[in-house]
Amino acid sequence: SQTFKIPARIQQTAIFTIRDFLSKVSNSQYLFINLIEAPILALLLALVIRYRGSHDAEYLYRHNDNIPAYILICILVALFMGLTVSAEEIIRDRKILKREKFLNLSRSSYLISKLTILFGLSAIQTLSFVLIGNIVLDIEGMHLAYWLMLFTVSCHANVLGLNISSAFNSAVTVYIIIPLLIIPQMVMSGLIFNFDKLN
């Protein structure tokens, strides 16, 4: 009987993914900051935006005029978190990639492994953000919709971060570029300025 062989690209993807995962897990400071960042931001944002009308009034979701602004800020937070976790990924691995260049390893396997880890981290970040923010603001029955929206935005930001990480050699340059990527998206969102009133 013939033995089943796992294709080389799948093996390489698995090795890259495991190596990247172990690297991130071993860096406890990186892991702690990235996992605690989303719930803290959600709690602060939701507490500030939880508008009651007057001090004596009971909070009601339907009376909260801040919800459209909350959704915009959620999207910006997802963009920011997605960019910050991915912006240095390829820069950080540049020396390793140079050493392994002669091995003719698959570039697509390396990128798929990066996306797997980053998308997993973004899924956890956005889920914790949505759960805490929605509970504080009494947003019911919308957890999945909010999570899918923010997770998609965060994945877009992950891909964007990997692109700028591969394009530049310095982490400082990358973090200067991030506002140039986020601010135009804020302006063109339609929530800050009405499209009819733009030049």
Side-chain angles (χ1 to χ4, degrees), residues 7 12 27 60 64-66 69 77-78 100 104 113 130 158 172 182:
Q12 287 179 23
N27 187 345
L60 292 172
N64 192 343
D65 296 333
N66 295 326
V77 167
E100 294 176 347
N104 292 322
S113 72
V130 166
N158 291 155
V172 175
I182 292 180

Side-chain angles (χ1 to χ4, degrees), residues 24-44:
K24 284 179 173 41
V25 169
S26 66
N27 187 345
S28 56
Q29 189 176 13
Y30 170 90
L31 205 62
F32 176 76
I33 289 170
N34 281 306
L35 292 178
I36 203 74
E37 172 184 35
I40 287 175
L41 285 172
L43 187 62
L44 289 172

Side-chain angles (χ1 to χ4, degrees), residues 40-60:
I40 287 175
L41 285 172
L43 187 62
L44 289 172
L45 181 60
L47 288 173
V48 168
I49 284 175
R50 190 180 160 98
Y51 174 70
R52 289 187 295 179
S54 67
H55 294 295
D56 300 330
E58 182 186 352
Y59 172 79
L60 292 172

Side-chain angles (χ1 to χ4, degrees), residues 72 183-199:
L72 173 64
I183 292 168
Q185 294 183 69
M186 289 170 59
V187 173
M188 302 303 289
S189 68
L191 273 172
I192 297 175
F193 305 107
N194 192 317
F195 286 133
D196 296 333
K197 296 177 182 176
L198 292 179
N199 186 357

Side-chain angles (χ1 to χ4, degrees), residues 147-168:
W147 178 75
L148 281 174
M149 173 186 65
L150 297 184
F151 176 58
T152 305
V153 169
S154 202
C155 289
H156 158 72
N158 291 155
V159 174
L160 205 56
L162 286 177
N163 275 299
I164 61 173
S165 181
S166 66
F168 300 101

Side-chain angles (χ1 to χ4, degrees), residues 61-76:
Y61 168 74
R62 70 176 181 271
H63 292 158
N64 192 343
D65 296 333
N66 295 326
I67 296 300
Y70 170 73
I71 294 169
L72 173 64
I73 295 169
C74 288
I75 291 168
L76 294 175

